[in-house]
Every structure is written in structure tokens, then in C-alpha cells.
Amino acid sequence: MSYAAWGGGAHATAEVRAIRPASVDAARRGYASPGTSVLAFGNGRSYGDVCLNPGGTLIDCRSLDRFVDFDRTTGRLTCEAGVLLADILASICRSDDTGGAWFLPVTPGTRFVSVGGAIANDVHGKNHHRFGTFGRHVLSFDLARSNGEVVSCSPTENAALYRATIGGLGLTGLVLRATIQLRRVEGTALEAEDVRFDRLDEFFSLAAEADQAWDYTAAWVDCLATGRSLGRGIFSRARHRAGAGSPPPPLQPRITIPVRPPVSLVGGLGLRAFNALYWRKLSLRRSERTVGGYEPVFFPLDAIGGWNRLYGPRGFFQFQCVVPPAVAAEAIKDMLGAVAASGQGSMLAVLKTFGDLPSPGILSFPMAGATLALDFPDRGDSTRALLARLETITVAAGGRLYPAKDCVMTANTFRDGYAGLAAFKPHIDPAAASGFARRVGIIGPAAS
């Protein structure tokens, strides 16, 4: 059976044996007797081979979608690993009579991520500077191991395995169910402001100022701008509006790309024109403030189902790095210069600063600094050469790449970026494997 990650194309597709259990007990049994190497599969929103197990078995968790318990007094939610963040938003994160509500403490750029996937990749959102990663809000979980055992993990119970599993890329076992702490917010609607900036140094000034007063911050960058305009973009910040409710978005996208076109529709002259026009969307006002629902702030791409199909049959790569604060401005400048020089621009170019709240996970990606995310249509060798150049700049700056987004990182880059690898390895389940783990040498020899 063929399974694909979100990036699509041959680099994000694998032939596997798949098991889709109907209950957590069936999932436990399936994980204990896969017959081959095994990996949990959430909702396929990772971009590359971190969620694939070529030639092995996937435990498809999409049927493990039951809520187990929710305490409205404390905001503690227990659910199965296949529950999507979208399900939690639609079912639980609703305004009460005051407009206040329990809300997800951390949301990535899509709500169609499973709870198990959010734990395995220790996802982050636009509020990392205030709330850290998703894993900081995971109170406990039950983990199935290939010996048939189910291990309860929390910060105080089997704590080492807890830390290894958060951000552990699914290699420590199969999360069956988890308890997470929701966040009490004064309103589900958001007060949001967009501010246009002309140069990269203005981004860092805006970020330093906004992080003090706004819950959510991130910027879109025109990655094709050069010279004095290099790094120009639009800085977006938002915070919950007290007493203002907003209904959850519909569970299904409003429109869907029905088929994959024969060629990529993203890139070229159209991309250059889009970037120039989008940067000028605020016109002479330079800033705009609105109050509205949270979907446009958190999940703008979720409104278009199957948007990844726009990249055509070859799919696309996503690159995301984080570099330390002291060298962030220079490293990001070098990366944007490399992208502009290559002519392979990215429509999605997101720049944000991470705070210094530590992640509980041994292999968690976020660290203090600046993070840059870019999408590139797969144009073959030229795209891989650009990705290698961006990886080199990241390594030279002392940064690291995000496994959930990666398809090309070398073993050396992974080892150098993740100092906790040696402490993590003893917790790997003997039967667990993934394409990513083999490629970067977490298990077995690294791919050549």
C-alpha cells in the first residue's frame, strides 16, 4: 500500500504494510506483532519521511479518534492519539456566556494534526515566545511498546521515556491516549494587527517589541526581494480579545483542490508578482488592525483542502531551520540572499522568533532564536542544491533543521544539531523505524 506525506512526490511516498486498528487495544496488539519494523502514522501532515516507514508497517491511527474525558473545571482533556486538533477546537474550545473558553495551548500552522503527531514532533506555534511547545502542555500519555507492554508516562512517572517520546519522532513506541492541559483564554476571537516592514532589521525590532504584549507573532517575508529591500515583509501579531467569542471553523475546508495538476502551479513569474503585490497589500497605511475569528490567524491554508496538490506530481520540499539569537540576523540574511539568487522563490516564507522556554523533549526542534520556513516546488537537482546551501548556512550558524519538515538533511547535520541524540537512543523501541531515522542514522547506518 502506498502512503504519502504532505510534501508529496516520490521523495515523500513509500510502499508499506498498513494496519488501521479500531481500538487502542487493537493498536497495542498490532504494534506488538507487526512482522516488520513499525511506525505510528497520524494524519500525514508531516512533510517528508519522518512519518513513513518504507518496506515496513504503519499503524494508521486515524480510527483512534475518541474523547475519553474532559474536566471543565481544570481544562484537562484526555483523548486517543488519533484525535485531530480540529476535533478539539470544534468540540471543546467554544466560548461560554462570558466569551471566555478553554483553548488549545499551542497550535501549529494546521489544525489537521493528530494529538499523537503533535506529541511525536513536539509541534510549536506562533506563541512559542510565551507558551513554548505542545509538549510542555502534555500531562501524561500511555505508550505501547513492541513487547506488548503499555507504559504510563508523565513528568514524574517513567519521566525519561516521557521526555524521549515528546519530540521523539514516533520511535519510542505508539502513543495510545494522552492527557493535555488546555489554556483558559478570555475570548476565542482575536485582535490582530499587520505591520509592513521594509528591511530585515525592522523585523527583529518589531518582534522584540511585540513579544512583550502579544500572544501570537510571525511574519511573512518577500524572499525574492534583494538589495536594501532584502527581508522586507509583513509582521503579524495577535492576542485574544476579552469577552469576544468566535465559532470554530467548519471541519471541512471551504474549497478543495480536486486533482493534482500535471505541472506545479507555484513559482516562476507568477510568484514574483504575488510577492510584490502581497507586500503592498497594506498600501500607504503600513498597518491594519482587525478583530475576528482565529482561523485566518492560525490556519489560513486550511481553508483550501488539498492545497499541496498545487505543486504538481513532483510535490514540494519544505525547509525550516532555527538559528541562535546572536547570529540570527546575519544567518537569515544569508539564507534570504541565497534564495533570491537562486530564483526559486517561496510563496510561503515565514519568519518568527522562538523564546527561551525549554522543551521537555530530548529531541525537540525549537530553541531560542529565529526560525525560517520556506516551501519550494521540487525542480530536481537545482532545488536540492538550494536546500543544501540553506542547510550549510544553518549549520555554520549553530542551528538545526526541523525533522517534521525535512527530506534531505544529512546525518552529520542531524547529529550536530541534536545534542541529546545519545541520551535518546536507549529509549528507542526495538521494532520502531522510519525513513527519516534510517536516513540520518538514528537507527542503523546512515543512508549514503
Side-chain angles (χ1 to χ4, degrees), residues 14-15 40 46 71 80 87 91 107 125 130 162 189-190 193 207 240 265 274 300 312 359-360 362 367 389 393 444:
E15 294 298 321
S46 296
D71 187 328
E80 294 180 350
D87 299 327
S91 303
T107 62
R130 284 178 173 254
Y162 168 86
L190 293 176
E193 185 174 48
H240 289 275
L265 301 182
F274 168 84
S359 301
I362 298 174
M367 65 179 190
R389 174 62 182 145
I393 296 171

Side-chain angles (χ1 to χ4, degrees), residues 45 84-91 93-94 110-112 246-256 293-296 299-305:
R45 289 302 177 115
L84 302 182
L85 301 190
D87 299 327
I88 298 173
L89 287 166
S91 303
C93 300
R94 291 175 173 269
T110 174
R111 58 194 166 103
F112 299 119
S246 175
L251 277 175
Q252 299 302 320
R254 291 173 177 78
I255 59 173
T256 296
Y294 57 82
E295 184 187 28
F299 316 117
L301 289 175
D302 282 349
I304 305 173

Side-chain angles (χ1 to χ4, degrees), residues 101-147:
W102 291 105
F103 205 72
L104 287 167
V106 170
T107 62
T110 174
R111 58 194 166 103
F112 299 119
V113 172
S114 69
V115 167
I119 294 173
N121 295 286
D122 198 11
V123 298
H124 58 272
K126 295 179 178 178
N127 62 351
H128 183 274
H129 58 289
R130 284 178 173 254
F131 292 89
T133 66
F134 189 87
R136 287 178 61 90
H137 309 276
V138 176
L139 302 177
S140 63
F141 51 80
D142 292 336
L143 185 74
R145 302 274 285 184
S146 62
N147 61 3

Side-chain angles (χ1 to χ4, degrees), residues 48-288:
D49 53 359
V50 74
C51 68
L52 301 175
N53 184 21
T57 297
L58 289 180
I59 306 294
D60 188 330
C61 296
R62 284 177 284 189
S63 295
L64 305 180
D65 58 355
R66 301 169 187 83
F67 291 99
V68 178
D69 184 57
F70 177 58
D71 187 328
R72 293 190 177 278
T73 304
T74 63
R76 292 188 172 191
L77 167 67
T78 301
C79 63
E80 294 180 350
V83 168
L84 302 182
L85 301 190
D87 299 327
I88 298 173
L89 287 166
S91 303
I92 293 176
C93 300
R94 291 175 173 269
S95 302
D96 57 25
D97 293 341
T98 69
W102 291 105
F103 205 72
L104 287 167
V106 170
T107 62
T110 174
R111 58 194 166 103
F112 299 119
V113 172
S114 69
V115 167
I119 294 173
N121 295 286
D122 198 11
V123 298
H124 58 272
K126 295 179 178 178
N127 62 351
H128 183 274
H129 58 289
R130 284 178 173 254
F131 292 89
T133 66
F134 189 87
R136 287 178 61 90
H137 309 276
V138 176
L139 302 177
S140 63
F141 51 80
D142 292 336
L143 185 74
R145 302 274 285 184
S146 62
N147 61 3
E149 185 181 12
V150 176
V151 184
S152 297
C153 300
S154 75
T156 56
E157 184 177 15
N158 297 305
L161 189 56
Y162 168 86
R163 294 186 61 236
T165 301
I166 292 177
L169 311 177
L171 299 175
T172 62
L174 172 67
V175 174
L176 298 174
R177 57 173 71 88
T179 298
I180 60 177
Q181 177 65 61
L182 300 184
R183 173 193 170 201
R184 185 69 186 174
V185 295
E186 56 272 46
T188 52
L190 293 176
E191 175 187 5
E193 185 174 48
D194 289 343
V195 182
R196 194 173 79 183
F197 57 93
D198 298 326
R199 294 180 299 278
L200 185 61
D201 58 345
E202 292 181 18
F203 160 80
F204 286 100
S205 297
L206 284 166
E209 173 197 346
D211 284 357
Q212 304 301 315
W214 297 79
D215 286 346
Y216 307 97
T217 63
W220 169 85
V221 177
D222 178 359
C223 62
L224 291 176
T226 57
R228 289 177 55 83
S229 297
L230 189 143
R232 70 182 184 182
I234 296 175
F235 190 89
S236 299
R237 50 197 180 190
R239 55 194 169 200
H240 289 275
R241 181 69 171 261
S246 175
L251 277 175
Q252 299 302 320
R254 291 173 177 78
I255 59 173
T256 296
I257 308 299
V259 297
R260 197 176 292 276
V263 297
S264 173
L265 301 182
V266 182
L269 295 176
L271 176 60
R272 188 173 295 279
F274 168 84
N275 279 15
L277 289 172
Y278 190 78
W279 181 71
R280 291 178 173 82
K281 76 169 188 172
L282 299 178
S283 187
L284 298 177
R285 292 169 294 170
R286 297 195 67 82
S287 68
E288 182 178 74

Side-chain angles (χ1 to χ4, degrees), residues 4-13 259-266 308-316 377-379:
W6 193 245
H11 61 268
T13 304
V259 297
R260 197 176 292 276
V263 297
S264 173
L265 301 182
V266 182
N308 57 337
R309 296 183 182 126
L310 293 172
Y311 286 87
R314 295 185 65 132
F316 68 105
D378 183 0
R379 296 178 177 171

